[in-house]
Amino acid sequence: MARTGPDTKARAAGIDESRIPPGQYYTDKWPVLHAGSVPHVDLADWDFRGFGLVRHPVRLSFDELKALGERDTVADIHCVTRWSRLDVPWHGVPVRALLAAVEPLESVRFVIAHAEQGFTANLPIEAVDDDAALLAYEADGAPLTPEHGYPLRLMVPSRYFWKSAKWLRGLEFTDVDRPGFWEGYGYHNDADPWKEERYGF
Ligand SMILES: Nc1nc2c(c(=O)[nH]1)N[C@H]1C(S)=C(S)[C@@H](COP(=O)(O)O)O[C@H]1N2
Ligand SMILES: [Mo]
């Protein structure tokens, strides 16, 4: 439910409440949320695709993807179900390293994240053409657990966390927007937690 008073949990933890977006509350736990079941993924027959309106489409093994470059980053996550987790240590390939490899055409305005079992999430290109956006394979100093997206998930801290597709298998670059899975159920297309863009209607 919407938080009306102060975030007592944040206060107790000594968290600066201005870091919690409107209507969110602080948690030190990491809830698991998704539609469907946790896929079993075998890296031997796993690949990652960068495709669509790009100069150089790619299909990469996990090691080839890592070879694009890796980095550590610390980012907050904000779930539309109202929990926010702060200062999560992430490790992965910067989305910008993939952008440099595939070279999106000038006409590209949107990215569609494609995950196992047909799950998709759409984002404006600006949301991923951002130093903070990662193709993440570690969190909290360890490989992603199966329920948090092993082996790879998108991590876009500027948007509600539903856009951060778990079990990511590719990014498609387009000039026409296509609502993803949750967006099709009425969640907001742009999903900026600081503007409280939860629902599209
Ligand atoms: N493939 C896939 N990724 C997904 C989802 C999903 O249903 N399928 N749900 C999203 C939602 S609604 C949230 S809040 C986050 C939750 O990630 P977590 O379980 O690691 O906290 O994953 C997002 N990524
Ligand atoms: Mo969510």
Side-chain angles (χ1 to χ4, degrees):
M1 291 302 98
R3 174 167 59 80
T4 47
D7 185 340
T8 48
K9 255 189 144 179
R11 280 197 183 171
I15 302 289
D16 173 0
E17 281 177 77
S18 70
R19 296 183 59 196
I20 310 287
Q24 297 288 111
Y25 65 85
Y26 169 82
T27 179
D28 55 5
K29 305 211 169 55
W30 190 358
V32 171
L33 278 147
H34 52 258
S37 56
V38 175
H40 171 80
V41 177
D42 185 350
L43 281 188
D45 45 48
W46 183 95
D47 58 19
F48 181 88
R49 294 177 65 210
F51 64 105
L53 300 175
V54 296
R55 269 180 205 90
H56 312 289
V58 294
R59 186 187 283 273
L60 305 169
S61 69
F62 193 67
D63 286 339
E64 288 168 337
L65 178 70
K66 281 178 156 178
L68 295 181
E70 5 184 334
R71 66 172 290 204
D72 289 311
T73 182
V74 173
D76 303 343
I77 55 187
H78 308 293
C79 177
V80 73
T81 63
R82 300 189 182 275
W83 54 268
S84 289
R85 198 185 155 209
L86 306 187
D87 300 322
V88 182
W90 297 95
H91 186 79
V93 176
V95 176
R96 280 187 166 159
L98 180 75
L99 298 181
V102 299
E103 292 186 32
L105 303 182
E106 285 64 34
S107 56
V108 167
R109 293 176 53 222
F110 305 97
V111 174
I112 317 283
H114 290 261
E116 301 283 349
Q117 302 170 339
F119 179 90
T120 57
N122 60 321
L123 286 151
I125 185 75
E126 299 77 32
V128 296
D129 189 0
D130 175 344
D131 272 334
L134 274 195
L135 306 170
Y137 49 86
E138 290 179 18
D140 299 324
L144 291 175
T145 59
E147 56 276 12
H148 285 302
Y150 174 88
L152 188 78
R153 77 178 299 159
L154 190 59
M155 199 287 289
V156 178
S158 64
R159 298 301 190 279
Y160 282 119
F161 205 37
W162 85 76
K163 301 270 189 190
S164 290
K166 304 195 274 191
W167 314 295
L168 186 68
R169 290 294 299 272
L171 293 185
E172 176 187 357
F173 298 87
T174 75
D175 54 356
V176 179
D177 204 6
R178 278 203 323 266
F181 179 85
W182 292 111
E183 294 80 9
Y185 280 102
Y187 285 95
H188 199 283
N189 206 53
D190 202 37
D192 180 342
W194 294 99
K195 297 183 192 156
E196 239 192 315
E197 293 173 336
R198 297 177 191 275
Y199 308 107
F201 38 79

Coordinates of all heavy atoms in Angstrom, one line a residue, residues 1-57:
M1 N 0.8 -1.2 0.0 CA 0.0 0.0 0.0 C 0.9 1.2 0.0 O 2.0 1.2 0.4 CB -0.9 0.0 1.2 CG -2.0 -1.1 1.2 SD -3.1 -0.9 -0.3 CE -2.4 -2.2 -1.4
A2 N 0.3 2.3 -0.4 CA 1.1 3.6 -0.5 C 1.6 4.0 0.9 O 0.8 3.9 1.8 CB 0.3 4.7 -1.1
R3 N 2.8 4.4 1.0 CA 3.3 4.9 2.2 C 2.9 6.3 2.3 O 3.1 7.1 1.4 CB 4.8 4.7 2.2 CG 5.6 5.3 3.4 CD 7.0 4.8 3.4 NE 7.7 5.2 2.2 CZ 8.2 6.4 2.0 NH1 8.1 7.4 2.9 NH2 8.9 6.7 0.9
T4 N 2.3 6.7 3.5 CA 1.9 8.0 3.7 C 2.8 8.8 4.6 O 3.2 9.9 4.4 CB 0.4 8.1 4.2 OG1 0.3 7.2 5.3 CG2 -0.5 7.7 3.1
G5 N 3.2 8.1 5.7 CA 4.1 8.8 6.7 C 5.6 8.6 6.3 O 5.9 8.2 5.2
P6 N 6.5 8.8 7.3 CA 7.9 8.6 7.0 C 8.2 7.1 6.8 O 7.4 6.3 7.3 CB 8.5 9.1 8.3 CG 7.5 9.2 9.3 CD 6.2 9.3 8.6
D7 N 9.3 6.8 6.2 CA 9.7 5.4 6.0 C 10.5 5.0 7.2 O 11.7 5.3 7.3 CB 10.5 5.3 4.7 CG 10.9 3.9 4.3 OD1 10.9 3.0 5.2 OD2 11.2 3.7 3.2
T8 N 9.8 4.4 8.2 CA 10.4 4.1 9.4 C 11.6 3.1 9.3 O 12.6 3.2 10.0 CB 9.4 3.5 10.4 OG1 8.7 2.5 9.8 CG2 8.4 4.6 10.9
K9 N 11.5 2.2 8.4 CA 12.5 1.2 8.2 C 13.8 1.9 7.7 O 14.9 1.6 8.1 CB 12.1 0.2 7.2 CG 11.8 -1.2 7.8 CD 11.6 -2.2 6.7 CE 12.1 -3.6 7.1 NZ 11.9 -4.6 6.1
A10 N 13.6 2.8 6.7 CA 14.7 3.6 6.2 C 15.4 4.4 7.3 O 16.6 4.4 7.5 CB 14.3 4.5 5.1
R11 N 14.6 5.0 8.1 CA 15.1 5.8 9.3 C 15.9 5.0 10.2 O 17.0 5.3 10.6 CB 14.0 6.5 10.0 CG 13.5 7.7 9.3 CD 12.7 8.6 10.2 NE 12.2 9.7 9.4 CZ 11.3 10.6 9.9 NH1 10.8 10.5 11.1 NH2 10.9 11.6 9.1
A12 N 15.3 3.8 10.5 CA 16.0 2.9 11.5 C 17.3 2.4 10.9 O 18.3 2.2 11.7 CB 15.1 1.7 11.8
A13 N 17.4 2.3 9.6 CA 18.7 1.8 9.0 C 19.6 3.0 8.7 O 20.7 2.8 8.2 CB 18.3 1.1 7.7
G14 N 19.2 4.2 9.1 CA 20.0 5.4 8.9 C 20.1 5.8 7.4 O 21.1 6.4 7.0
I15 N 19.1 5.5 6.6 CA 19.1 5.8 5.2 C 18.5 7.2 5.0 O 17.5 7.5 5.6 CB 18.2 4.7 4.4 CG1 18.7 3.3 4.6 CG2 18.0 5.1 3.0 CD1 20.0 3.0 4.0
D16 N 19.1 7.9 4.2 CA 18.6 9.2 3.8 C 17.3 9.0 3.0 O 17.4 8.5 1.9 CB 19.7 9.9 2.9 CG 19.2 11.2 2.3 OD1 18.0 11.6 2.5 OD2 20.0 11.8 1.6
E17 N 16.2 9.4 3.5 CA 14.9 9.1 2.9 C 14.7 9.8 1.5 O 13.9 9.3 0.7 CB 13.7 9.6 3.8 CG 13.5 8.6 4.9 CD 12.4 9.1 5.8 OE1 11.2 9.0 5.4 OE2 12.7 9.6 6.9
S18 N 15.5 10.8 1.2 CA 15.4 11.4 -0.1 C 15.9 10.5 -1.2 O 15.7 10.7 -2.4 CB 16.2 12.7 -0.2 OG 17.6 12.5 -0.1
R19 N 16.5 9.4 -0.8 CA 17.0 8.4 -1.8 C 15.9 7.4 -2.2 O 16.0 6.6 -3.1 CB 18.2 7.6 -1.3 CG 19.4 8.5 -1.1 CD 20.6 7.6 -0.6 NE 20.9 6.6 -1.6 CZ 21.7 5.6 -1.4 NH1 22.2 5.4 -0.2 NH2 21.9 4.7 -2.3
I20 N 14.7 7.4 -1.5 CA 13.6 6.5 -1.7 C 12.6 7.3 -2.6 O 12.0 8.3 -2.1 CB 13.0 6.1 -0.4 CG1 14.0 5.6 0.6 CG2 11.9 5.0 -0.6 CD1 14.6 4.3 0.3
P21 N 12.3 6.8 -3.8 CA 11.3 7.5 -4.6 C 9.9 7.5 -4.0 O 9.6 6.8 -3.1 CB 11.3 6.6 -5.9 CG 12.6 5.9 -5.9 CD 12.9 5.6 -4.4
P22 N 9.1 8.5 -4.5 CA 7.8 8.6 -3.9 C 7.0 7.3 -3.9 O 7.0 6.6 -4.9 CB 7.1 9.7 -4.8 CG 8.0 9.8 -6.0 CD 9.3 9.4 -5.6
G23 N 6.3 7.0 -2.8 CA 5.5 5.8 -2.7 C 6.2 4.5 -2.5 O 5.6 3.5 -2.5
Q24 N 7.5 4.6 -2.4 CA 8.3 3.4 -2.2 C 8.7 3.3 -0.7 O 8.7 4.3 0.0 CB 9.6 3.5 -3.0 CG 9.4 3.5 -4.5 CD 8.9 2.2 -5.1 OE1 7.8 2.1 -5.5 NE2 9.8 1.2 -5.1
Y25 N 9.1 2.1 -0.2 CA 9.7 1.9 1.1 C 11.0 1.1 1.0 O 11.2 0.3 0.1 CB 8.7 1.3 2.1 CG 8.4 -0.1 1.7 CD1 9.2 -1.2 2.1 CD2 7.2 -0.4 0.9 CE1 8.9 -2.5 1.8 CE2 6.9 -1.7 0.6 CZ 7.8 -2.8 1.0 OH 7.5 -4.0 0.6
Y26 N 11.9 1.4 2.0 CA 13.2 0.7 2.0 C 13.1 -0.7 2.5 O 12.3 -1.0 3.4 CB 14.1 1.6 3.0 CG 15.4 0.9 3.3 CD1 16.5 1.0 2.4 CD2 15.5 0.2 4.5 CE1 17.7 0.3 2.8 CE2 16.7 -0.4 4.8 CZ 17.8 -0.4 4.0 OH 18.9 -1.0 4.3
T27 N 13.8 -1.6 1.8 CA 14.0 -2.9 2.3 C 15.4 -3.3 2.3 O 16.1 -2.9 1.4 CB 13.1 -4.0 1.6 OG1 13.3 -5.3 2.1 CG2 13.4 -4.0 0.1
D28 N 15.9 -4.2 3.2 CA 17.2 -4.7 3.1 C 17.2 -6.1 2.6 O 18.2 -6.8 2.5 CB 18.0 -4.6 4.4 CG 17.2 -5.3 5.6 OD1 16.2 -5.9 5.3 OD2 17.7 -5.2 6.7
K29 N 16.0 -6.6 2.2 CA 15.9 -7.9 1.6 C 15.8 -7.8 0.1 O 15.6 -6.7 -0.4 CB 14.6 -8.6 2.1 CG 14.6 -8.7 3.6 CD 13.8 -9.9 4.1 CE 14.0 -10.0 5.6 NZ 13.7 -8.8 6.4
W30 N 15.9 -8.9 -0.6 CA 15.8 -8.9 -2.1 C 14.7 -9.8 -2.4 O 14.9 -11.0 -2.6 CB 17.1 -9.2 -2.7 CG 17.1 -9.0 -4.2 CD1 16.1 -8.5 -5.0 CD2 18.2 -9.2 -5.1 NE1 16.4 -8.4 -6.3 CE2 17.7 -8.9 -6.4 CE3 19.5 -9.7 -5.0 CZ2 18.5 -9.0 -7.6 CZ3 20.3 -9.8 -6.1 CH2 19.8 -9.4 -7.4
P31 N 13.5 -9.3 -2.6 CA 12.3 -10.2 -2.9 C 12.5 -10.8 -4.3 O 13.3 -10.2 -5.1 CB 11.1 -9.3 -2.9 CG 11.5 -8.1 -2.1 CD 13.0 -7.9 -2.3
V32 N 11.9 -11.9 -4.6 CA 11.9 -12.5 -5.9 C 10.5 -12.3 -6.5 O 9.5 -12.6 -5.9 CB 12.3 -14.0 -5.8 CG1 12.0 -14.7 -7.2 CG2 13.7 -14.2 -5.3
L33 N 10.5 -11.8 -7.8 CA 9.2 -11.6 -8.4 C 9.3 -11.8 -9.9 O 10.2 -11.3 -10.6 CB 8.8 -10.1 -8.3 CG 8.2 -9.7 -7.0 CD1 8.6 -8.2 -6.6 CD2 6.7 -9.8 -7.1
H34 N 8.5 -12.6 -10.4 CA 8.4 -12.8 -11.9 C 7.1 -13.6 -12.2 O 6.5 -14.2 -11.4 CB 9.6 -13.6 -12.4 CG 9.9 -14.9 -11.7 ND1 10.9 -15.0 -10.7 CD2 9.3 -16.1 -11.8 CE1 10.9 -16.2 -10.3 NE2 10.0 -16.9 -10.8
A35 N 6.8 -13.6 -13.5 CA 5.7 -14.4 -14.0 C 6.3 -15.7 -14.5 O 7.5 -15.8 -14.9 CB 5.1 -13.7 -15.2
G36 N 5.6 -16.8 -14.3 CA 6.0 -18.1 -14.8 C 7.1 -18.8 -13.9 O 7.2 -18.4 -12.7
S37 N 7.8 -19.7 -14.4 CA 8.7 -20.5 -13.6 C 10.2 -20.1 -13.8 O 10.5 -19.4 -14.8 CB 8.6 -22.0 -14.0 OG 8.8 -22.2 -15.4
V38 N 11.1 -20.5 -13.0 CA 12.5 -20.2 -13.1 C 13.1 -21.1 -14.1 O 13.0 -22.4 -14.0 CB 13.2 -20.4 -11.7 CG1 14.7 -20.2 -11.9 CG2 12.7 -19.4 -10.7
P39 N 13.6 -20.6 -15.3 CA 14.1 -21.5 -16.3 C 15.4 -22.2 -15.8 O 16.2 -21.5 -15.1 CB 14.3 -20.6 -17.5 CG 14.4 -19.2 -17.0 CD 13.7 -19.2 -15.7
H40 N 15.7 -23.4 -16.3 CA 17.0 -24.0 -16.1 C 17.8 -23.7 -17.3 O 17.4 -23.9 -18.4 CB 16.8 -25.5 -15.9 CG 18.2 -26.2 -16.0 ND1 19.0 -26.3 -14.9 CD2 18.8 -26.8 -17.0 CE1 20.1 -26.9 -15.2 NE2 20.0 -27.2 -16.5
V41 N 19.0 -23.0 -17.1 CA 19.8 -22.6 -18.2 C 21.1 -23.3 -18.1 O 21.8 -23.3 -17.1 CB 20.0 -21.1 -18.1 CG1 20.9 -20.6 -19.2 CG2 18.7 -20.3 -18.2
D42 N 21.5 -23.8 -19.3 CA 22.8 -24.5 -19.4 C 23.7 -23.6 -20.3 O 23.3 -23.3 -21.5 CB 22.6 -25.9 -20.1 CG 23.8 -26.7 -20.2 OD1 24.9 -26.1 -19.9 OD2 23.7 -27.9 -20.5
L43 N 24.8 -23.1 -19.8 CA 25.6 -22.2 -20.6 C 26.1 -22.8 -21.9 O 26.5 -22.1 -22.9 CB 26.8 -21.7 -19.8 CG 26.6 -20.7 -18.8 CD1 27.9 -20.2 -18.2 CD2 25.8 -19.5 -19.4
A44 N 26.2 -24.1 -22.0 CA 26.7 -24.8 -23.2 C 25.8 -24.5 -24.4 O 26.2 -24.5 -25.6 CB 26.8 -26.3 -23.0
D45 N 24.5 -24.4 -24.2 CA 23.6 -24.0 -25.3 C 22.9 -22.7 -25.1 O 21.7 -22.6 -25.4 CB 22.7 -25.2 -25.7 CG 22.0 -25.8 -24.5 OD1 21.5 -25.0 -23.6 OD2 22.0 -27.0 -24.4
W46 N 23.6 -21.8 -24.6 CA 23.1 -20.4 -24.3 C 23.8 -19.5 -25.3 O 25.0 -19.6 -25.6 CB 23.5 -20.1 -22.9 CG 23.0 -18.7 -22.4 CD1 21.8 -18.5 -21.7 CD2 23.6 -17.5 -22.5 NE1 21.7 -17.2 -21.4 CE2 22.8 -16.5 -21.9 CE3 24.8 -17.1 -23.1 CZ2 23.2 -15.2 -21.8 CZ3 25.2 -15.7 -23.0 CH2 24.4 -14.8 -22.4
D47 N 23.1 -18.5 -25.8 CA 23.7 -17.4 -26.5 C 23.0 -16.1 -26.2 O 21.9 -16.1 -25.7 CB 23.9 -17.7 -28.0 CG 22.5 -17.9 -28.7 OD1 21.5 -17.5 -28.1 OD2 22.5 -18.5 -29.8
F48 N 23.7 -15.0 -26.6 CA 23.2 -13.7 -26.4 C 23.2 -13.0 -27.8 O 24.2 -13.0 -28.4 CB 24.0 -12.9 -25.4 CG 23.4 -11.5 -25.2 CD1 22.4 -11.3 -24.2 CD2 23.8 -10.5 -26.0 CE1 21.9 -10.1 -24.0 CE2 23.3 -9.2 -25.8 CZ 22.3 -9.0 -24.8
R49 N 22.0 -12.4 -28.1 CA 22.0 -11.7 -29.4 C 21.8 -10.2 -29.3 O 21.0 -9.8 -28.5 CB 20.8 -12.3 -30.2 CG 20.9 -13.8 -30.6 CD 19.6 -14.2 -31.3 NE 19.4 -13.5 -32.6 CZ 18.2 -13.3 -33.1 NH1 17.1 -13.6 -32.5 NH2 18.2 -12.6 -34.3
G50 N 22.5 -9.5 -30.1 CA 22.2 -8.1 -30.3 C 21.8 -8.0 -31.8 O 22.5 -8.3 -32.7
F51 N 20.5 -7.5 -32.0 CA 20.0 -7.6 -33.3 C 18.9 -6.5 -33.6 O 18.7 -5.6 -32.7 CB 19.4 -9.0 -33.6 CG 18.2 -9.3 -32.7 CD1 16.9 -9.3 -33.2 CD2 18.4 -9.7 -31.4 CE1 15.8 -9.6 -32.4 CE2 17.3 -10.0 -30.6 CZ 16.0 -10.0 -31.1
G52 N 18.4 -6.5 -34.8 CA 17.4 -5.4 -35.2 C 18.2 -4.4 -36.0 O 19.0 -4.8 -36.9
L53 N 17.9 -3.1 -35.8 CA 18.5 -2.0 -36.6 C 19.9 -1.7 -36.1 O 20.1 -0.7 -35.4 CB 17.6 -0.8 -36.6 CG 16.1 -1.0 -37.1 CD1 15.3 0.2 -36.9 CD2 16.1 -1.4 -38.5
V54 N 20.8 -2.6 -36.5 CA 22.2 -2.4 -36.1 C 23.1 -2.7 -37.3 O 22.7 -3.4 -38.2 CB 22.6 -3.4 -34.9 CG1 21.8 -3.0 -33.7 CG2 22.4 -4.8 -35.3
R55 N 24.3 -2.1 -37.3 CA 25.2 -2.4 -38.3 C 25.8 -3.7 -38.2 O 26.1 -4.4 -39.2 CB 26.4 -1.3 -38.3 CG 26.0 -0.1 -39.2 CD 27.1 0.9 -39.3 NE 26.3 2.2 -39.6 CZ 25.8 3.0 -38.7 NH1 26.0 2.8 -37.4 NH2 25.1 4.0 -39.1
H56 N 26.1 -4.2 -37.0 CA 26.8 -5.5 -36.8 C 26.0 -6.4 -35.9 O 26.3 -6.4 -34.6 CB 28.2 -5.3 -36.3 CG 28.9 -4.2 -37.0 ND1 29.4 -4.4 -38.2 CD2 29.3 -3.0 -36.6 CE1 30.1 -3.3 -38.6 NE2 30.0 -2.4 -37.6
P57 N 25.0 -7.2 -36.4 CA 24.3 -8.1 -35.5 C 25.3 -9.1 -34.8 O 26.2 -9.5 -35.5 CB 23.3 -8.8 -36.4 CG 23.3 -8.1 -37.7 CD 24.6 -7.3 -37.8

